[in-house]
Amino acid sequence: MTTLRLLADSYFDGSLHHPATDGPYLITIASGRIAAIEARAAAAPFDRRATFVMPGLVEAHAHLFLDGGDLDFDRRNAYLNASKDEMLKVARENIARNAAAGVTLVRDAGDRYGVNDAIRDEQRGSSVAVRSPGLGIKRPKRYGGFMARDIEAGGDVAPVVADMAATADDIKIILTGIIDFAAGEVKGAPQFDEGELRAIVQTAHVHGKKTFAHCSGLDGLKVAVAAGVDSIEHGFFMTPQILDVMAEKGIAWVPTVSPVHFQWARPEIAGWDVSTIGNLRRILDGHAEHIALAHRKGVELVAGSDAGSPGVVHGAALIDEIFHFLDAGVPMAAALESATSRPRRLWDAESADLKPGSKADMLLLSASPFEDRNALRAPGSLLRN
């Protein structure tokens, strides 16, 4: 049996901060699992030293086939006609960026090229695991063509969802369009009504799969919570009333602040005028207010950056997303929980909590983010046995 003794000044176990006042802590790892954690272990022999330890990070919403650092919109559009091999190369580079940021699990949010399924299979047993929905589902001639298949109105959803469930880790649903920033709103009716969406969700559950829905705007949010989706992605133009239902039903929220924040921070990239910049700021302020309210109401907040969107670079963007939670008023422990233990629990993934019995899936940092949040941006190292 291989044993490693790690001595850490302080650590975050996935929900609670264990401060240096009770340290150092001896974390004993045997055969790839945490065997014991001992406080006040200054005199204990050890094999490795760390200042701060926490579970590996989870990126809950990303598009691995897209390069978020490419800000040329013509080149981004042309890339959608690239070969699968070229897209896989980009995905591998994005996996490396996630690993460098301390991410050990990524949930891809869909692509129609098969890249997410392929990279998931490549990564089995590697330092960064991938969850893939394969293709999502949408209505014909509506938003989402690069990441979803069409379901015709009036058609039976059960065979389509059953087919998806055979290979997908989760079922992705495109419920609404994207935000019209110039107008400051989401235009168009939801792609599925309440009954249609409920049928999709129930069929997914029959096949043991969770659902996550691309959704913004009040009309779409009302449909999503009424139908009981498992997670709302983006969720711009949220309301306190919708949050109440989400808390009651246990519906998770992945707010993906980063893409809209980039549009506001770099308006010259898209050529936004003063009016649109004002809309972006208003949208961001409302989003931050509702993120803080969601935390207070007990909504299952989960950190996902929508990496791959323009200006949203894989790896670094997840840290940005954690910072957006902090700036909204979410405490550090809750923000870290949203990017470590909570998504794993919600997805029924194996726990990486720093507790006896959990697998060793750790991020080691040179300083504690509870003392300086920028420690999350400093280079760390992954420990996975």
Side-chain angles (χ1 to χ4, degrees):
M1 181 173 69
T2 304
T3 301
L4 174 69
R5 295 166 299 181
L6 174 65
L7 193 66
D9 292 339
S10 63
Y11 72 100
F12 173 71
D13 67 13
S15 58
L16 298 175
H17 175 219
H18 299 260
T21 52
D22 291 327
Y25 301 86
L26 184 68
I27 305 172
T28 302
I29 302 165
S31 299
R33 295 196 171 272
I34 298 172
I37 301 178
E38 178 185 349
R40 299 182 179 89
F46 62 90
D47 304 304
R48 188 168 177 180
R49 195 76 165 83
T51 301
F52 182 82
V53 184
M54 61 181 289
L57 293 167
V58 179
E59 165 62 271
H61 191 115
H63 294 279
L64 285 165
F65 83 107
L66 291 173
D67 178 5
D70 190 348
L71 304 181
D72 185 311
F73 289 94
D74 289 337
R75 187 163 56 236
R76 290 179 67 93
N77 287 332
Y79 171 77
L80 297 179
N81 295 314
S83 69
K84 185 176 179 180
D85 284 344
E86 184 177 346
M87 290 181 173
L88 275 169
K89 178 177 180 292
V90 171
R92 293 183 189 112
E93 291 168 350
N94 288 331
I95 288 288
R97 292 185 179 102
N98 276 291
V103 175
T104 60
L105 176 59
V106 176
R107 182 177 66 173
D108 191 271
D111 75 67
R112 66 179 173 88
Y113 309 97
V115 175
N116 48 14
D117 284 348
I119 201 72
R120 174 190 61 189
D121 295 342
E122 278 189 18
Q123 288 299 118
R124 294 191 195 281
S126 299
S127 60
V128 180
V130 175
R131 293 178 69 89
S132 171
L135 276 164
I137 47 180
K138 60 178 280 290
R139 286 297 190 205
K141 299 181 181 180
R142 297 291 301 273
Y143 170 76
F146 75 92
M147 57 180 167
R149 70 177 71 182
D150 290 339
I151 293 183
E152 296 287 344
D156 185 1
V157 301
V160 177
V161 176
D163 179 62
M164 295 168 65
T167 55
D169 295 303
D170 307 281
I171 304 300
K172 172 73 178 290
I173 304 151
I174 312 300
L175 182 56
T176 68
I178 56 177
I179 303 171
D180 182 333
F181 294 128
E185 62 184 9
V186 176
K187 291 185 175 179
Q191 297 195 28
F192 302 95
D193 64 26
E194 181 184 329
E196 293 165 339
L197 185 57
R198 182 178 289 110
I200 293 169
V201 172
Q202 290 176 346
T203 304
H205 289 174
V206 165
H207 291 277
K209 305 298 179 180
K210 302 287 182 71
T211 57
F212 64 123
H214 169 110
C215 178
S216 287
L218 184 56
D219 290 344
L221 290 168
K222 287 179 177 178
V223 170
V225 296
V229 299
D230 296 292
S231 178
I232 290 173
E233 314 293 300
H234 316 304
F236 287 90
F237 308 104
M238 185 61 73
T239 71
Q241 293 75 26
I242 295 291
L243 290 174
D244 286 336
V245 180
M246 292 173 69
E248 177 186 352
K249 292 187 174 184
I251 297 172
W253 183 21
V254 185
T256 64
V257 182
S258 296
V260 178
H261 188 273
F262 177 79
Q263 297 281 337
W264 170 79
R266 296 290 306 276
E268 75 280 3
I269 300 296
W272 296 130
D273 59 21
V274 173
S275 175
T276 303
I277 295 169
N279 286 340
L280 288 161
R281 186 66 262 171
R282 174 177 58 82
I283 292 167
L284 287 168
D285 289 345
H287 213 44
E289 178 183 342
H290 288 113
I291 289 170
L293 187 58
H295 167 70
R296 295 196 297 271
K297 288 177 176 287
V299 173
E300 302 268 29
L301 279 171
V302 176
S305 70
D306 206 3
S309 298
V312 187
V313 178
H314 287 266
L318 179 62
I319 309 304
D320 291 340
E321 201 68 22
I322 294 170
F323 281 23
H324 290 315
F325 280 23
L326 296 172
D327 291 340
V330 177
M332 176 61 77
L336 293 182
E337 184 175 1
S338 76
T340 57
S341 63
R342 181 173 293 133
R344 289 184 171 98
R345 170 175 57 79
L346 292 173
W347 303 341
D348 298 323
E350 187 173 6
S351 173
D353 289 0
L354 269 64
K355 297 176 181 178
S358 294
K359 67 177 180 178
D361 183 343
M362 305 177 185
L363 172 60
L364 282 57
L365 297 175
S366 59
S368 170
F370 288 87
E371 297 176 3
D372 179 2
R373 71 182 194 172
N374 288 307
L376 291 167
R377 293 203 188 278
S381 59
L382 296 176
L383 193 162
R384 301 191 79 197
N385 280 13

